Amino acid sequence: MDRQEHLGRLQDGELFDLLVIGGGATGCGIALDAATRGLRVALVERDDFAQGTSSKSTKLVHGGVRYLEKAILKRDKEQFDLVREGLRERGRLLKNAPHLAHGIRLMTPVKSWFQAAYIYIGLVLYDLLAGRLSLGRSRLVGRATAQQLFPQLDLDGYKAAVIYADGQFNDARMAVTLARTAASYGAVCANQVEVTGLVKEQGRIRGAQVRDRLSGKAWTIAAKGVVNATGPFADAIRRMDDPDAPSMLKVSSGIHILLAAGTVPRDLSLMIPSTEDGRVLFMIPWQEHVLFGTTDEPADIAVDPVPGKKDVDYLLRYASAYLRRPVTRDDVLAVWNGLRPLVFDPKKRSTQELARTHVLTESPSGLLTMAGGKWTSYRAMAEDAVDAACAAFGLCGGRACVTRELRLIGSRAYYPDAWKDLVVREDVAPALARSLFSLYGDEAAEVLRLGREEGLLAPIHPEHPYIGAEVAFAVRREMAVRLGDVLLRRLPLGLVDMRHAEEAAPAVARIMARELGWDEARCASEVESARRLFAAWYSGEAAPADRRTDAVVEAGLGNQSFSSPEGKGSTVEAL
């Protein structure tokens, strides 16, 4: 995707069938579904694709083990349907983006045989609900076998363990891949374009007023229908339509920490099914490191929310309780916080009780809002949203959804051991080949060709496989326009080791400067913004200017007072 080309199309006065607001999992999924049905689709994202919730998940593609337990114990059909849908969608996601998603095994240690039987029976049901899309059967093992499989665990006092299968993926790359795939079917997509108002004709929404946050240029996008897919910010867009619209979301925060490889086995993860306050925690190998999370606390809406010290300490305490070697703050390589948009139910006492289901609403003026949900079900949510848009706005002409079996960019000529052929054919190190295929799939060779042509084969950091060509590719083909777009989303470096990402920032900025025409002052500004963001996340402290409060969000999802000239952005602006 070329950003300037897509901006030009957004500005040329074309009447779109559908305007999608929000470039996270839901918005990108909706754009893809609509484009593959032949609709003229525009998508705008105020920040970067997946900058918010959609890049800060636990990286699991799952049906939701905890929801199944609640469904059974509370006879909650909503939770049961959520699990069944999630397992179906888990299988589809793994098939449609095999370079970005794969199956993993998780172990749950138990202290009694009764508990072992209880959990095992539940996981057998979990497997059965997946049907032909199952990732494998769950199994029950004794303590000795569990200790052999997971030597890092302290299993004193435990009787056995249950092992089951689920999925894992790269969420940020999945979002940009969805946007690129949508663009390949004709969708027009652009990041750093904020909606400043909704356009109405005779009481019906017929588009939106937007502004390019990089150039400051403002214009109107005309559309037959508008879909609000802005995650935690959905209520703010709803109030652009109706200032008196009641809240439909509660937001909870989920903290994750990254630890060094070796904390868990390479092929086995830990699932803690119930903490003292009822949470579920996961310790999972991810990107050659180990991810541990997540917390679940009520939160205020913010862009790039800062992880709280209390929540990090909570995770460290639980990690130390399960591992033979306790972990401390010094072991934390990265920490980040994601906001979950949960559909509000006044009968629920806490955010942990809210189902991760999705809700689709239509306002009297025709604004469609898709709220709630989770990454695993993004495709089903998109299908529901486009079905509703077709009915509400007279679109589609009876054309049905085709995304259930639709391979995404990077997976169309992909096969599991293709990286080995790349090692031989392109004469590259196995670690680099594996890394490229895990991020780009069948486009890996194209990234290498770019590296040879531009002299960008050197790694951006000596302890990681990412090379300079990936930065150039991110700018040219994936609309990366800020340093944080590359360090945190196109590449996962900033999410696995913040110190190394900060060290790599100057080299990455120089490559982006060559691609985007930045001067030295802009480069320095981008690097400083990265340093400030990583410092805030790691310390758990942010200056007031680095936060976007509810008041700012309610004023219109970020207003003029929160913007600055290109190259002189605050931490939020630049990352």
Side-chain angles (χ1 to χ4, degrees):
M1 296 187 298
D2 180 274
R3 186 172 184 272
Q4 292 306 314
E5 177 186 338
H6 281 245
L7 281 176
R9 290 184 60 191
L10 288 176
Q11 295 168 5
D12 69 4
E14 178 181 351
L15 173 62
F16 291 94
D17 293 315
L18 211 58
L19 170 62
V20 182
I21 307 173
T26 306
C28 292
I30 291 171
L32 175 59
D33 188 294
T36 54
R37 298 196 204 194
L39 298 182
R40 292 167 296 179
V41 184
L43 179 149
V44 294
E45 161 58 43
R46 184 195 185 278
D47 297 296
D48 183 33
F49 300 113
Q51 179 162 334
T53 301
S54 295
S55 64
K56 295 166 184 171
S57 73
T58 310
K59 320 301 181 187
L60 287 175
V61 188
H62 63 112
V65 173
R66 65 171 174 162
Y67 306 132
L68 180 60
E69 181 183 27
K70 291 177 181 178
I72 295 171
L73 293 179
K74 298 184 179 181
R75 299 181 183 180
D76 189 331
K77 184 176 183 301
E78 180 186 49
Q79 299 270 9
F80 188 83
D81 290 343
L82 182 68
V83 174
R84 184 165 52 187
E85 176 189 75
L87 289 170
R88 287 198 301 261
E89 294 302 319
R90 179 191 71 179
R92 289 167 180 154
L93 195 155
L94 266 65
K95 283 189 173 183
N96 292 337
H99 59 303
L100 298 175
H102 58 272
I104 59 172
R105 296 188 308 152
L106 300 101
M107 174 184 286
T108 297
V110 291
K111 292 189 174 181
S112 71
W113 287 108
F114 173 80
Q115 185 185 22
Y118 174 79
I119 295 176
Y120 177 68
I121 291 171
L123 289 172
V124 169
L125 176 58
Y126 191 68
D127 298 336
L128 291 174
L129 286 173
R132 62 183 179 84
L133 295 175
S134 173
L135 297 180
R137 294 181 179 179
S138 299
R139 55 189 286 231
L140 180 63
V141 300
R143 179 180 177 277
T145 300
Q147 191 69 79
Q148 183 178 14
L149 293 171
F150 207 135
Q152 296 91 335
L153 280 184
D154 181 358
L155 291 177
D156 289 346
Y158 289 89
K159 298 291 186 183
V162 180
I163 300 173
Y164 74 103
D166 243 324
Q168 182 183 62
F169 77 136
N170 186 321
D171 51 9
R173 289 212 60 82
M174 183 71 182
V176 78
T177 298
L178 289 171
R180 291 184 63 213
T181 307
S184 74
Y185 284 93
V188 185
C189 309
N191 55 358
Q192 297 294 333
V193 175
E194 70 171 316
V195 171
T196 58
L198 298 174
V199 175
K200 295 183 180 180
E201 296 177 2
Q202 298 179 340
R204 299 290 292 179
I205 294 176
R206 290 293 183 262
Q209 298 163 338
V210 301
R211 182 178 70 92
D212 180 357
R213 298 177 66 232
L214 300 185
S215 70
K217 183 175 181 178
W219 72 98
T220 297
I221 298 176
K224 297 177 182 178
V226 176
V227 180
N228 171 17
T230 53
F233 304 101
D235 283 336
I237 294 293
R238 291 174 61 240
R239 291 186 183 120
M240 284 186 179
D241 173 33
D242 176 6
D244 298 322
S247 297
M248 65 183 295
L249 294 177
K250 279 192 173 181
V251 175
S252 73
S253 67
I255 308 297
H256 298 81
I257 60 176
L258 271 290
L259 305 170
T263 308
V264 301
R266 292 181 61 89
D267 62 347
L268 194 59
S269 305
L270 172 68
M271 192 271 275
I272 301 171
S274 182
T275 63
E276 61 194 20
D277 50 358
R279 306 180 196 184
V280 177
L281 300 178
F282 297 92
M283 187 175 290
I284 311 168
W286 187 69
Q287 299 293 319
E288 305 301 325
H289 293 72
V290 175
L291 180 155
F292 187 46
T294 181
T295 59
D296 193 343
E297 293 285 351
D300 294 329
I301 298 174
V303 174
D304 292 327
V306 173
K309 292 181 178 179
K310 179 187 68 169
D311 291 319
V312 173
D313 291 340
Y314 173 92
L315 292 177
L316 290 172
R317 179 163 59 87
Y318 264 95
S320 297
Y322 277 82
L323 297 173
R324 287 184 176 276
R325 185 185 75 81
V327 292
T328 68
R329 186 79 185 196
D330 291 338
D331 295 302
V332 176
L333 303 177
V335 55
W336 30 272
N337 183 6
L339 298 180
R340 304 184 192 92
L342 305 172
V343 181
F344 176 72
D345 183 344
K347 298 179 182 178
K348 305 294 186 181
R349 292 174 296 177
S350 71
T351 56
Q352 297 168 40
E353 294 185 65
L354 296 176
R356 296 298 299 279
T357 190
H358 60 272
V359 172
L360 183 64
T361 65
E362 181 181 356
S363 75
S365 59
L367 177 67
L368 284 180
T369 296
M370 175 60 82
K374 61 178 182 176
W375 240 120
T376 304
S377 300
Y378 87 88
R379 195 213 60 80
M381 294 167 62
E383 181 178 353
D384 289 349
V386 179
D387 284 346
C390 289
F393 310 129
L395 307 174
C396 301
R399 283 167 288 190
C401 173
V402 299
T403 58
R404 295 185 183 189
E405 309 295 333
L406 183 71
R407 288 294 188 107
L408 304 182
I409 283 177
S411 69
R412 293 164 181 171
Y414 176 90
Y415 54 98
D417 289 331
W419 67 270
K420 295 180 181 178
D421 293 339
L422 192 70
V423 171
V424 175
R425 187 171 64 250
E426 302 290 343
D427 190 26
V428 297
L432 174 58
R434 283 195 301 267
S435 175
L436 289 173
F437 265 92
S438 72
L439 298 178
Y440 307 97
D442 58 32
E443 291 187 312
E446 184 178 344
V447 177
L448 278 175
R449 283 195 296 272
L450 175 61
R452 289 198 169 94
E453 292 169 1
E454 303 289 344
L456 294 172
L457 291 177
I460 61 173
H461 191 281
E463 295 190 35
H464 298 270
Y466 315 120
I467 59 175
E470 296 177 78
V471 181
F473 189 87
V475 173
R476 297 182 188 184
R477 302 290 296 277
E478 298 176 341
M479 286 195 185
V481 292
R482 301 284 197 188
L483 185 58
D485 298 348
V486 174
L487 290 177
L488 292 170
R489 288 172 290 278
R490 306 305 183 275
L491 300 175
L493 180 57
L495 296 183
V496 298
D497 195 312
M498 294 189 300
R499 180 174 61 84
H500 290 170
E502 186 176 343
E503 291 169 355
V508 173
R510 284 193 294 272
I511 298 171
M512 295 187 74
R514 189 171 74 175
E515 296 290 324
L516 294 169
W518 293 350
D519 58 19
E520 290 185 9
R522 174 63 186 271
C523 282
S525 173
E526 293 281 341
V527 172
E528 175 60 17
S529 292
R531 187 197 65 76
R532 289 173 57 205
L533 183 68
F534 292 138
W537 282 6
Y538 190 80
S539 68
E541 298 177 354
D546 290 336
R547 296 179 182 267
R548 186 185 306 176
T549 64
D550 280 330
V552 174
V553 173
E554 293 298 327
L557 198 57
N559 57 19
Q560 294 284 346
S561 64
F562 213 77
S563 302
S564 59
E566 185 177 0
K568 298 183 183 296
S570 67
T571 295
V572 171
E573 286 284 323
L575 289 126

